[in-house]
């Protein structure tokens, strides 16, 4: 998956925010934004795809301006594992 740029694809439903990801193979998946969080000096975003799976997508997050942001693939396995563990801890704290 290459870096996905999202602009103007946000919609609101029952106070939840959604974005549509478009992948390199042109498949699209609507995802609920679970949250944006900081970890070790970087920002990340957690997404819940509305495709019937229990998957959670986690990307690096970079705000470009008021209407645009960039999702950045986390290519380092060690970094991804740490970020996923942090998201899991944050999720448990909210419950």
């Amino acid at each position: 998956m290459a870096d996905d740029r999202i602009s103007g694809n946000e919609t609101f439903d029952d106070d939840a925010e959604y974005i549509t990801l478009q992948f390199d193979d042109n498949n699209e998946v609507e995802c609920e934004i679970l949250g944006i969080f900081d970890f070790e000096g970087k920002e990340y975003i957690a997404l819940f795809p509305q495709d019937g799976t229990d998957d959670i997508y986690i990307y690096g997050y970079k705000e470009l301006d008021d209407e645009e942001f960039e999702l950045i693939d986390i290519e380092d396995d060690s970094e991804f594992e740490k970020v996923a563990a942090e998201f899991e801890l944050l999720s448990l704290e909210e419950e």
Side-chain angles (χ1 to χ4, degrees):
M1 216 179 333
D3 291 348
D4 298 300
R5 292 183 186 267
I6 310 295
S7 173
N9 288 339
E10 297 181 44
T11 59
F12 298 91
D13 182 34
D14 297 326
D15 296 326
E17 288 186 61
Y18 294 85
I19 61 172
T20 301
L21 298 180
Q22 183 174 8
F23 298 99
D24 291 338
D25 61 4
N26 290 324
N27 283 333
E28 292 184 350
V29 176
E30 185 175 16
C31 297
E32 179 181 351
I33 299 173
L34 297 177
I36 298 169
F37 59 99
D38 292 318
F39 181 67
E40 295 185 350
K42 295 181 182 178
E43 285 191 303
Y44 297 91
I45 188 169
L47 305 171
F48 180 56
Q50 304 297 293
D51 61 0
T53 67
D54 292 339
D55 295 340
I56 301 291
Y57 297 166
I58 299 177
Y59 290 93
Y61 176 85
K62 181 179 178 184
E63 200 165 313
L64 301 175
D65 62 33
D66 290 339
E67 294 291 324
E68 294 184 17
F69 55 90
E70 181 177 6
L71 300 183
I72 304 163
D73 286 334
I74 303 171
E75 296 186 17
D76 181 88
D77 290 340
S78 175
E79 177 186 0
F80 183 83
E81 288 175 17
K82 290 177 189 176
V83 172
E86 177 68 9
F87 176 73
E88 188 171 328
L89 285 174
L90 292 171
S91 296
L92 290 175
E93 288 175 6
E94 286 186 14
E95 291 180 1

